């Protein structure tokens, strides 16, 4: 198969879907609150352009909670509850699966809001130069993935999202 590249604003290559046993075509999809028709439209677009996988951008941050400032986290979407986030993910996953597209979660486990970290200071990733909680290069604060309590809380949410959406895989950064 010829090399495949898709860039917003350019026509997809090749014109028809590649053999899934020979090639994977993935696109990143940002979304917020979706109804069934919107989820279907995204999945239909991906299928029409020959994509075999969608890498989600609508549920990356598992530690956003109601009442926290809706700070911009690298284009991530915010929901009033985790259940709302999970329901949106399930809606899109179901639409993707109807079109034969794999639904892959893209998660960022270490980025949390400053308010959230204030409630869980023991989860902070500490800057060894200053002794202060570490801010990421994207703006939010960093949680320490080595903290056993953080690991447990993260994995509980991850498992609920993964199983609840019927995801086909996950990429965690």
């Amino acid at each position: 198969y010829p090399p495949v590249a898709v860039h917003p604003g350019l026509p997809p290559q090749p014109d028809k879907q590649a053999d899934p046993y020979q090639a994977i075509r993935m696109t990143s999809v940002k979304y917020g609150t979706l109804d069934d028709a919107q989820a279907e439209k995204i999945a239909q677009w991906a299928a029409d352009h020959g994509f075999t996988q969608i890498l989600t951008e609508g549920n990356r941050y598992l530690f956003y909670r109601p009442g926290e400032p809706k700070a911009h986290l690298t284009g991530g979407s915010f929901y009033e509850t985790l259940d709302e986030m999970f329901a949106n993910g399930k809606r899109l996953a179901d639409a993707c699966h109807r079109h034969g597209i794999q639904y892959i979660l893209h998660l960022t486990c270490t980025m949390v809001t400053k308010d959230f970290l204030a409630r869980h200071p023991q989860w902070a990733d500490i800057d060894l130069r200053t002794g202060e909680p570490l801010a990421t290069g994207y703006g939010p604060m960093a949680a320490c993935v080595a903290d056993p309590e953080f690991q447990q809380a993260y994995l509980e949410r991850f498992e609920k999202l993964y199983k609840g959406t019927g995801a086909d895989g996950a990429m965690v950064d």
Side-chain angles (χ1 to χ4, degrees):
Y1 293 96
V4 175
V6 174
H7 188 276
L10 299 177
Q13 299 291 324
D15 290 335
K16 64 181 187 174
Q17 186 170 351
D19 178 346
Y21 294 105
Q22 301 294 323
I24 293 173
R25 295 191 69 208
M26 180 183 287
T27 187
S28 178
V29 176
K30 291 183 180 182
Y31 60 92
T33 302
L34 297 172
D35 60 27
D36 289 338
Q38 291 166 320
E40 178 64 25
K41 184 176 179 180
I42 292 169
Q44 183 66 59
W45 173 87
D48 289 347
H49 289 86
F51 291 106
T52 60
Q53 296 181 338
I54 280 182
L55 184 66
T56 68
E57 295 292 339
N59 47 21
R60 286 184 68 176
Y61 306 100
L62 297 182
F63 286 100
Y64 170 76
R65 292 190 183 194
E68 291 183 7
K70 290 180 171 52
H72 178 74
L73 295 180
T74 65
S77 299
F78 293 99
Y79 304 95
E80 292 304 316
T81 67
L82 287 171
D83 287 339
E84 182 186 352
M85 176 195 289
F86 297 163
N88 276 286
K90 173 90 171 110
R91 216 170 271 121
L92 184 56
D94 288 348
C96 287
H97 292 153
R98 283 192 297 275
H99 289 275
I101 298 168
Q102 292 181 324
Y103 176 84
I104 310 296
L105 299 169
H106 183 193
L107 302 167
T108 301
C109 72
T110 60
M111 291 186 194
V112 298
T113 64
K114 190 177 274 192
D115 290 347
F116 182 84
L117 204 55
R119 291 194 309 276
H120 299 280
Q122 74 280 14
W123 292 0
D125 196 0
I126 303 297
D127 186 328
L128 296 178
R129 297 167 296 172
T130 65
E132 296 295 320
L134 183 66
T136 70
Y138 297 103
M141 304 303 289
C144 180
V145 295
D147 182 89
E149 191 179 294
F150 175 80
Q151 288 176 5
Q152 181 178 348
Y154 181 80
L155 291 173
E156 286 171 3
R157 290 178 188 208
F158 173 79
E159 182 178 28
K160 183 177 179 181
L161 176 65
Y162 192 88
K163 288 181 176 179
T165 60
D168 299 294
M171 180 180 90
V172 181
D173 52 34

